[in-house]
Amino acid sequence: NLYSICRYYDNIADMDKEDKSIFLKNSIKEIKNNKENVVNIFLQQNSINILIFIDLIEGFIKDQKIVKIQNKNELITYSYNVAGTVGLMMSRIIGVVDKKANSSAIDLGIAMQLTNIIRDIYEDAQMNRIYIPADLIPDITLSMLSGEQKLETKQEFVINNAIQQLIDLSEKFYFNGFSGLKYIPYKTRLGIFIAANIYRGISLKIRSKNKKYSKKRIYLNSLEKFIITIKSISIFMFIQFINYKYKKIRDKLQNENL
């Protein structure tokens, strides 16, 4: 299934600090050129354009070097590569047929990736990766984020401010994602809404703490997940009265309408 395929390549990309670019580039060639390749067959069976899957692998290739995202646009493009593509492929698998849903599927994936980035700043820094845009954290270095260098109060403020801005950005992407729920077959609509809200809950929990930059990964406990699930079901019952409108918050992507 799609999860297993994505997890396989993600695990290879993150296995250790060794550069896996060559393997990933060779994988693209193999999937592209060999119609008997298991991934190629899966994509064909689910009417997924191979270029979308290649965009995903390109995101993993970006992670093979020292990562230092420069600005919001670069962050959005990266988040599309590693997660927006998954949203787009998943929409095909669950039977979404209207191409108008593509943008929302991508944006929900981007929103969830932004949550990942907000949650994993410390762990990513230890892997030589900074996904917070450089223009949000001027003068903040890798050693500061990875815990090698002690942070001053002013530096903690800069990092926390950047985190809050990324949470605000993720909220816009979540709401764009929710605007596409109407295109999803009814039997899977509620499940996706609940899953997205639980993930979103991680960002909102980080926001509610709003103290100093923490090296500790934030999780939701079972009770928090249960509460979010009940709230999501309650909102879902009246969702037709909630005006989730798609808003243009990013540039069009090359393979968005495939």
Side-chain angles (χ1 to χ4, degrees), residues 88-102:
L88 196 50
M89 290 188 284
M90 183 59 75
S91 71
R92 300 285 185 276
I93 291 167
I94 62 175
V96 176
V97 291
D98 197 326
K99 288 285 177 77
K100 288 178 192 165
N102 287 11

Side-chain angles (χ1 to χ4, degrees), residues 10-22:
D10 188 30
N11 284 344
I12 286 173
D14 286 349
M15 199 180 297
D16 49 46
K17 290 191 176 181
E18 189 185 331
D19 191 333
K20 305 292 192 313
S21 300
I22 293 171

Side-chain angles (χ1 to χ4, degrees), residues 112-217:
M112 294 171 88
Q113 180 59 27
L114 290 173
T115 294
N116 278 340
I117 287 167
I118 293 158
R119 181 194 63 194
D120 298 341
I121 294 168
Y122 172 67
E123 290 173 17
D124 287 331
Q126 292 189 311
M127 295 179 72
N128 295 324
R129 299 170 181 173
I130 303 178
Y131 296 107
I132 307 176
D135 57 7
L136 293 184
I137 48 168
D139 305 319
I140 301 296
T141 64
L142 191 66
S143 60
M144 290 175 189
L145 293 173
S146 67
E148 287 176 34
Q149 186 177 336
K150 199 171 188 297
L151 290 167
E152 296 173 8
T153 305
K154 180 184 166 189
Q155 292 161 339
E156 284 194 349
F157 174 80
V158 169
I159 295 167
N160 279 330
N161 186 51
I163 289 169
Q164 297 306 316
Q165 288 188 59
L166 290 188
I167 293 170
D168 289 342
L169 182 63
S170 74
E171 284 289 277
K172 292 176 184 176
F173 277 99
Y174 276 112
F175 289 139
N176 269 0
F178 295 155
S179 76
L181 284 169
K182 57 183 175 283
Y183 300 112
I184 297 172
Y186 202 79
K187 62 181 180 180
T188 51
R189 202 178 293 177
L190 175 59
I192 288 170
F193 188 58
I194 292 170
N197 273 311
I198 287 174
Y199 225 77
R200 179 179 168 232
I202 298 169
S203 295
L204 298 180
K205 185 173 181 177
I206 292 167
R207 169 185 273 166
S208 71
K209 290 189 173 294
N210 191 22
K211 293 176 184 172
K212 60 180 195 173
Y213 169 55
S214 173
K215 300 177 187 69
K216 191 177 173 185
R217 192 187 246 216

